[in-house]
């Protein structure tokens, strides 16, 4: 979460996409195990202009673009895969960006712009897997899936569908969609949701064909999907029934049949490189998990070392940190911590937040009163309002804290009517942290090491920078199982400080 909180960017990923001739579209929507080259299509000037306009907004929304050797390496692989699609004339037609985001995500937009987050790259185990994910996203573009999805969204209210992921049964689709549209619930990390099963299969198959054409082992599409499935399972184990599903996995669900289908499409006796050692060397040291500059989640605790504050979510809730806000989810309510423009007037600030919740054609949501208080020495103001949703009456609260004369953060929470005390302990947990506490927070990083004689799964897993599920995290990170054999000289990944 960063200090600045702005409206979300939505239409860009679901906007018009590169135009292909019907013959090219049909040929690439039904790929065969042997890739058949298609005529190169020039990226239109209009698409280039749209992409160039959208690019800086998306980069800002997803934590900024990374630079340096790791970003250059990812860019080189992405451009190599991109030219296999036939959507551009040269590698220079594409912009491949490594995003500083702790969510698993990858996507492509018109104009030759391709994105992947550092978290998803860190989960991968070889260069071919990176190519497969980027090829998959480009495959969505080739097959015009976003255009088809956008057309459907015009009648099915895609914002409401996306919003239901966060708001669930508490708020209801219509209201949740409005909250996302207004920028008050996280949305951009869910932009790639709602592709159909057939669209996912088509994008997988296109990605496999691009891998094959580029000389990679096409089975990498199946193995990276398996890694995502493993992470889904681990998240479910850690979080229990309230588990969040990683964003890319939510939009591209990597279940068993899909993994098997990708491996069948690739073929059993295939050739191609994975470039595992080069990949691991290229990503060694990449950040894993939250960037302290955006705040850090540890269990139910969120700490922002730069803004110097911390709070605890209620028991049974879990936190998901984004570049713009922190989502707070549980069975009995939903919430978000974010910040906004502050003119020195707390009442005006909170009124503005509530005004952003107005739903077209419905009664405005307004608190009956605003109350001033002090929380652990921090001046605060809060208000509560009632609203009617498709799932019944809910209580909506805004609780804002004046960290300093120019900076305010606020909780927006939604609970079923009558459950207003669910978040009281969280509201009261907000407190400032000291300089020494802030300085003690360090980022986790992916560290590549070579297995030595005597190393075991158990001994290596104890070096993971976590206090829980060390073995599970180690196996998931390396796409290993509890019966996997380690060989001296083998490269593996650890998460360290």
């Amino acid at each position: 979460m960063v200090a600045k909180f702005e409206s979300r960017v939505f239409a860009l990923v679901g906007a018009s996409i590169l135009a292909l001739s019907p013959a090219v579209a049909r040929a690439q929507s039904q790929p065969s195990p042997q890739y058949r080259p298609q005529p190169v299509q020039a990226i239109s000037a209009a698409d280039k202009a749209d992409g160039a306009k959208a690019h800086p907004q998306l980069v800002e929304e997803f934590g900024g673009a990374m630079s340096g050797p790791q970003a250059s390496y990812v860019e080189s692989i992405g451009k190599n895969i991109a030219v296999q699609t036939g959507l551009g004339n040269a590698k220079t037609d594409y912009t491949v960006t490594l995003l500083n985001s702790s969510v698993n995500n990858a996507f492509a937009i018109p104009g030759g712009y391709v994105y992947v987050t550092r978290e998803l790259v860190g989960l991968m185990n070889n260069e071919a897997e990176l190519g497969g994910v980027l090829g998959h996203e480009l495959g969505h573009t080739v097959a015009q899936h976003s255009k088809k999805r956008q057309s459907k969204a015009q009648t099915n209210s895609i914002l409401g569908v996306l919003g239901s992921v966060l708001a669930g049964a508490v708020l209801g689709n219509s209201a949740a969609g409005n909250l996302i549209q207004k920028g008050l619930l996280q949305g951009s990390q869910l932009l790639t949701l709602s592709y159909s099963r057939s669209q996912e299969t088509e994008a997988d198959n296109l990605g496999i064909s691009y891998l094959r054409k580029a000389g990679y082992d096409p089975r990498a599409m199946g193995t990276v999907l398996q890694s995502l499935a493993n992470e889904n399972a681990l998240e479910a184990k850690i979080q229990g029934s309230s588990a969040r599903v990683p964003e890319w996995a939510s939009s591209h669900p990597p279940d068993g049949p899909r993994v098997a289908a990708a491996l069948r499409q690739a073929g059993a006796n295939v050739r191609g490189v994975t470039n595992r050692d080069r990949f691991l060397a290229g990503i060694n040291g990449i950040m894993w998990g939250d960037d302290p500059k955006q705040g850090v989640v540890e269990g139910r605790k969120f700490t922002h070392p730069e803004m110097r504050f911390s709070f605890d979510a209620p028991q049974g809730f879990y936190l998901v940190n984004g570049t713009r806000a922190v989502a707070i989810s549980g069975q009995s309510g939903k919430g978000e911590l974010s910040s906004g423009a502050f003119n020195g007037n707390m009442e005006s600030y909170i009124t503005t937040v509530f005004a952003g919740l107005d739903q077209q054609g419905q009664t405005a949501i307004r608190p009956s009163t605003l109350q001033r208080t002090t929380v652990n020495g921090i001046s605060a103001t809060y208000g509560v309002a009632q609203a009617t949703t498709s799932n019944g009456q809910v209580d909506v609260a805004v609780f804002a804290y004046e960290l300093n004369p120019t900076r305010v953060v606020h909780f927006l929470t939604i609970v079923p009517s009558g459950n207003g005390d669910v978040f009281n302990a969280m509201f009261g947990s907000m407190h400032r942290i000291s300089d020494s506490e802030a300085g003690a927070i360090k980022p986790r990083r992916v560290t590549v090491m070579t297995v030595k004689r005597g190393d075991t799964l158990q001994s290596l897993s104890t070096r993971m920078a976590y206090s829980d599920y060390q073995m599970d995290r180690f196996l998931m990170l390396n796409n290993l199982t509890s019966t996997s054999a380690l060989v001296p000289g083998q490269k593996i990944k650890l998460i360290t400080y």
Side-chain angles (χ1 to χ4, degrees), residues 53-124:
K53 182 178 180 180
H55 177 67
Q57 301 175 60
L58 284 169
V59 167
E60 183 180 13
E61 178 68 23
F62 282 86
M66 297 184 66
S67 59
Q70 294 163 348
S72 297
Y73 171 68
V74 170
E75 179 185 30
S76 68
I77 304 308
K79 287 189 173 185
N80 184 39
I81 289 295
V83 297
Q84 315 305 327
T85 67
L87 293 178
N89 294 304
K91 293 181 180 180
T92 53
D93 287 340
Y94 300 94
T95 299
V96 181
T97 304
L98 178 62
L99 297 166
N100 181 25
S101 174
S102 61
V103 302
N104 285 312
N105 217 337
F107 52 93
I109 65 170
Y113 291 85
V114 190
Y115 307 85
V116 63
T117 62
R118 58 172 170 79
E119 193 80 355
L120 184 51
V121 171
L123 179 65
M124 299 172 190

Side-chain angles (χ1 to χ4, degrees), residues 120 123-125 129 133 204 219-234 246 248-249 252-263 475-481:
L120 184 51
L123 179 65
M124 299 172 190
N125 282 286
E129 290 185 346
V133 166
D204 285 348
R219 291 171 296 185
M221 181 66 74
T223 59
V224 73
L225 288 172
Q226 184 61 60
S227 289
L228 282 158
N230 294 343
E231 185 174 43
N232 287 0
L234 178 56
W248 197 87
H252 310 70
D255 56 16
R258 184 176 169 200
V259 173
L263 292 174
L475 295 176
M476 179 273 297
L477 184 68
N478 292 282
N479 201 6
L480 299 173
T481 70

Side-chain angles (χ1 to χ4, degrees), residues 96-439:
V96 181
T97 304
L98 178 62
L99 297 166
N100 181 25
S101 174
S102 61
V103 302
N104 285 312
N105 217 337
F107 52 93
I109 65 170
Y113 291 85
V114 190
Y115 307 85
V116 63
T117 62
R118 58 172 170 79
E119 193 80 355
L120 184 51
V121 171
L123 179 65
M124 299 172 190
N125 282 286
N126 60 58
E127 191 174 281
E129 290 185 346
L130 174 60
V133 166
L134 297 178
H136 172 101
E137 297 306 326
L138 287 161
H140 280 304
T141 303
V142 169
Q144 303 192 24
H145 292 159
S146 293
K147 180 180 290 185
K148 297 169 186 175
R149 184 189 62 180
Q150 184 187 32
S151 175
K152 182 179 180 181
Q154 292 173 354
T155 58
N156 290 350
S157 181
I158 190 63
L159 290 177
V161 174
L162 298 181
S164 67
V165 176
L166 280 180
V170 176
L171 185 57
N173 289 350
S174 177
N178 187 69
L179 290 178
I180 292 178
Q181 191 174 35
K182 295 293 186 180
L184 292 166
L185 281 179
Q186 285 183 290
S188 59
Q189 291 168 4
L190 304 174
L191 277 170
T192 53
L193 290 174
S194 78
Y195 287 127
S196 69
R197 175 62 61 132
S198 63
Q199 288 175 330
E200 290 302 339
T201 299
E202 186 175 8
D204 285 348
N205 292 343
L206 285 167
I208 289 168
S209 72
Y210 305 149
L211 285 176
R212 183 177 286 108
K213 185 165 186 265
Y216 289 114
D217 186 337
R219 291 171 296 185
M221 181 66 74
T223 59
V224 73
L225 288 172
Q226 184 61 60
S227 289
L228 282 158
N230 294 343
E231 185 174 43
N232 287 0
L234 178 56
E235 287 290 344
K237 183 176 181 179
I238 293 173
Q239 302 290 356
S241 60
S242 298
R244 72 180 179 97
V245 177
E247 282 71 13
W248 197 87
S250 298
S251 57
H252 310 70
D255 56 16
R258 184 176 169 200
V259 173
L263 292 174
R264 283 196 304 272
Q265 178 72 8
N269 299 311
V270 294
R271 295 181 179 180
V273 299
T274 62
N275 290 341
R276 174 177 166 81
D277 285 354
R278 185 168 74 172
F279 173 81
L280 293 177
I283 70 161
N284 189 26
I286 198 169
M287 193 182 303
W288 177 267
D290 293 331
D291 183 346
K293 293 180 180 179
Q294 299 170 359
V296 174
V297 171
E298 291 286 352
R300 292 187 294 113
K301 179 182 289 295
F302 176 80
T303 304
H304 203 303
E306 291 199 348
M307 296 173 69
R308 297 292 196 274
F309 73 84
S310 182
F311 74 89
D312 295 286
Q315 188 73 36
F317 282 66
Y318 66 93
L319 302 173
V320 179
N321 188 25
T323 56
R324 295 293 182 193
V326 184
I328 306 151
S329 299
Q331 294 294 323
S332 54
K334 307 288 179 182
E336 181 174 276
L337 178 83
S338 57
S339 64
F342 181 53
N343 62 6
N345 186 313
M346 288 289 278
E347 287 76 10
S348 174
Y349 180 95
I350 292 180
T351 299
T352 299
V353 175
F354 273 107
L357 300 177
D358 288 354
Q359 302 174 56
Q360 186 175 4
Q362 298 190 33
T363 304
I365 301 174
R366 295 287 184 271
S368 55
T369 60
L370 295 179
Q371 303 290 327
R372 289 179 172 270
T373 188
T374 300
V375 177
N376 299 317
I378 305 173
S379 178
T381 305
Y382 65 93
V384 179
Q386 284 72 48
T388 301
T389 75
S390 58
N391 293 301
Q393 291 289 117
V394 296
D395 293 335
V396 182
V398 176
F399 206 118
Y401 307 81
E402 187 175 349
L403 298 180
N404 59 51
T406 61
R407 179 166 291 174
V408 170
V409 296
H410 71 270
F411 291 110
L412 168 65
T413 62
I414 304 162
V415 298
S417 184
N419 292 355
D421 60 348
V422 168
F423 288 109
N424 284 353
M426 182 181 74
F427 296 150
S429 71
M430 177 69 71
H431 64 278
R432 292 189 173 93
I433 62 171
S434 66
D435 290 348
S436 60
E437 288 174 310

